[in-house]
């Protein structure tokens, strides 16, 4: 934590850190894979923890990359979010600490892939996660849910439980084609499952300022989505790509990197959203 002290002074003045909205649930979701959902979940959560927030990551992706990306070895824990969703294990029993003070994780495992089938016959199956998260909501300032790259039952559970959704979008041509489909999905979720779901923001990831394509995609998305696009963009960054293989968020792996700087700025925007209200 000592390395983060100067960053705290720069990004999170004491007044901001003291202004907390308890238990805000943010789903990090996009039906397209490879857009930076897990990278964003890990590093936004870590940046919020550095800002003296109490943060929980719920790894709702069977690939369990948020789990391994925080240094939790697969097979080193007896219970996971799979047991919470399918057999009613209390979520408080599976939560694990991480190397960063203030940041905890509800781990995932490959068996979670079967949960969508096992939940099909369950009454109110889209609200199972919402019910269990309410048990521990007041123990955290932020709860981030890392969703799988699909619009299946696990993602619907996350969107039903969430106060808002954060959508990472890769700066490439095909990202533009997926935005309208994702937008329609969010509208349907609000209509049928969660009328209070708001948009935390659309986050441009893998931005390469050297290419015209990234600049054009950014301009088009800002034109289409307006203020719902975060001011912060996440650059292509070697250190950011290396960090998960070391089981660390970027602020512990290389706090001086551009990736760390970007996610700290994103955390400041998210905290600012709480002060301003939903987008």
């Amino acid at each position: 934590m000592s390395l983060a002290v100067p960053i705290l002074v720069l990004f999170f003045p004491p007044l901001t850190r003291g202004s907390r909205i308890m238990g805000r649930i943010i789903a990090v979701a996009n039906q397209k894979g490879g857009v930076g959902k897990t990278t964003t979940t890990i590093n936004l959560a870590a940046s919020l923890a550095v800002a003296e927030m109490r943060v929980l990551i719920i790894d709702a992706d069977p690939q369990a990359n948020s789990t391994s990306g925080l240094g939790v070895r697969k097979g080193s824990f007896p219970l996971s979010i799979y047991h919470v969703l399918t057999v009613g294990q209390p979520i408080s029993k599976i939560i694990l600490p991480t190397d960063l003070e203030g940041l905890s994780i509800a781990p995932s495992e490959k068996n979670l892939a079967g949960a969508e089938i096992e939940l099909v016959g369950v009454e109110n199956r889209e609200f199972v996660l919402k019910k269990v998260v309410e048990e521990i909501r007041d123990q955290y300032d932020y709860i981030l849910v890392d969703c799988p790259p699909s619009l299946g039952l696990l993602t619907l559970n996350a969107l039903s439980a969430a106060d808002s959704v954060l959508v990472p979008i890769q700066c490439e041509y095909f990202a533009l084609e997926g935005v309208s489909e994702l937008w329609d999905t969010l509208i349907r979720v609000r209509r049928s499952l969660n009328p209070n779901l708001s948009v935390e923001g659309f986050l441009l990831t893998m931005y390469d300022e050297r290419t015209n394509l990234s600049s054009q995609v950014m301009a088009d998305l800002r034109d289409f989505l307006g203020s719902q696009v975060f001011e912060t963009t996440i650059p292509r960054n070697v250190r950011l790509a290396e960090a998960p293989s070391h089981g660390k968020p970027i602020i512990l792996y290389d706090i001086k990197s551009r990736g760390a700087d970007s996610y700290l700025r994103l955390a400041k925007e998210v905290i600012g959203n709480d002060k301003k209200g939903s987008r």
Side-chain angles (χ1 to χ4, degrees):
M1 292 293 287
S2 60
L3 286 175
V5 171
I7 300 296
L8 277 174
V9 174
L10 175 62
F11 284 91
F12 306 108
L15 180 61
T16 301
R17 296 204 307 273
S19 303
R20 298 179 175 178
I21 291 183
M22 302 296 288
R24 184 164 179 78
I25 303 173
I26 302 174
V28 183
N30 190 329
Q31 80 275 20
K32 182 174 173 58
V35 298
K37 288 188 297 296
T38 297
T39 298
T40 294
T41 302
I42 292 173
N43 292 298
L44 173 58
S47 298
L48 290 168
V50 167
E52 298 182 0
M53 301 292 177
R54 298 168 298 171
V55 187
L56 172 67
I57 291 175
I58 296 177
D59 192 349
D61 188 345
Q63 297 178 79
N65 289 332
S66 280
T67 301
S68 60
L70 284 172
V72 180
R73 290 184 295 105
K74 296 176 182 179
S76 66
F77 45 89
L79 300 171
S80 71
I81 193 67
Y82 166 77
H83 300 91
V84 172
L85 297 177
T86 60
V87 298
Q89 186 72 32
I91 192 170
S92 58
K93 298 293 185 182
I94 72 163
I95 293 172
L96 303 174
T98 70
D99 291 338
L100 191 61
E101 183 180 353
L103 176 58
S104 303
I105 185 165
S108 180
E109 57 168 312
K110 62 182 180 180
N111 287 334
L112 185 60
E116 295 202 352
I117 298 174
E118 295 180 49
L119 288 173
V120 166
V122 175
E123 186 177 1
N124 295 321
R125 57 185 178 271
E126 296 92 349
F127 300 99
V128 176
L129 182 62
K130 178 180 176 65
K131 181 178 179 181
V132 299
V133 169
E134 290 300 324
E135 302 171 12
I136 45 90
R137 182 172 184 147
D138 61 353
Q139 299 174 28
Y140 299 94
D141 298 298
Y142 290 93
I143 298 173
L144 272 59
V145 186
D146 185 14
C147 299
S150 70
L151 295 174
L153 197 49
L154 292 173
T155 298
L156 290 178
N157 263 264
L159 294 175
S160 298
D163 298 304
S164 61
V165 56
L166 189 158
V167 184
I169 300 178
Q170 186 176 354
C171 286
E172 63 173 22
Y173 172 76
F174 291 112
L176 300 173
E177 295 187 341
V179 169
S180 59
E181 179 184 348
L182 179 63
W183 191 259
D184 289 342
T185 298
L186 296 179
I187 291 174
R188 289 197 297 271
V189 169
R190 287 193 65 176
R191 185 180 298 129
S192 59
L193 298 175
N194 185 359
N196 297 317
L197 182 67
S198 65
V199 174
E200 190 70 31
F202 291 83
L203 176 66
L204 302 178
T205 63
M206 304 178 198
Y207 179 76
D208 190 342
E209 60 191 10
R210 300 168 299 178
T211 67
N212 291 331
L213 178 60
S214 285
S215 298
Q216 187 61 53
V217 170
M218 180 173 69
D220 288 347
L221 286 172
R222 291 194 188 282
D223 182 60
F224 180 58
L225 297 169
S227 63
Q228 297 192 97
V229 179
F230 284 107
E231 289 296 322
T232 301
T233 59
I234 307 301
R236 287 191 180 275
N237 181 250
V238 173
R239 303 297 277 174
L240 192 59
E242 292 174 347
S245 66
H246 295 269
K248 294 181 179 181
I250 189 62
I251 59 172
L252 292 184
Y253 182 64
D254 187 354
I255 198 170
K256 295 181 180 180
S257 67
R258 292 181 63 208
D261 178 80
S262 296
Y263 276 109
L264 287 164
R265 292 183 185 279
L266 176 63
K268 187 176 182 180
E269 280 199 69
V270 170
I271 293 171
N273 282 353
D274 281 350
K275 297 177 72 176
K276 293 184 294 184
S278 299
R279 293 177 181 236

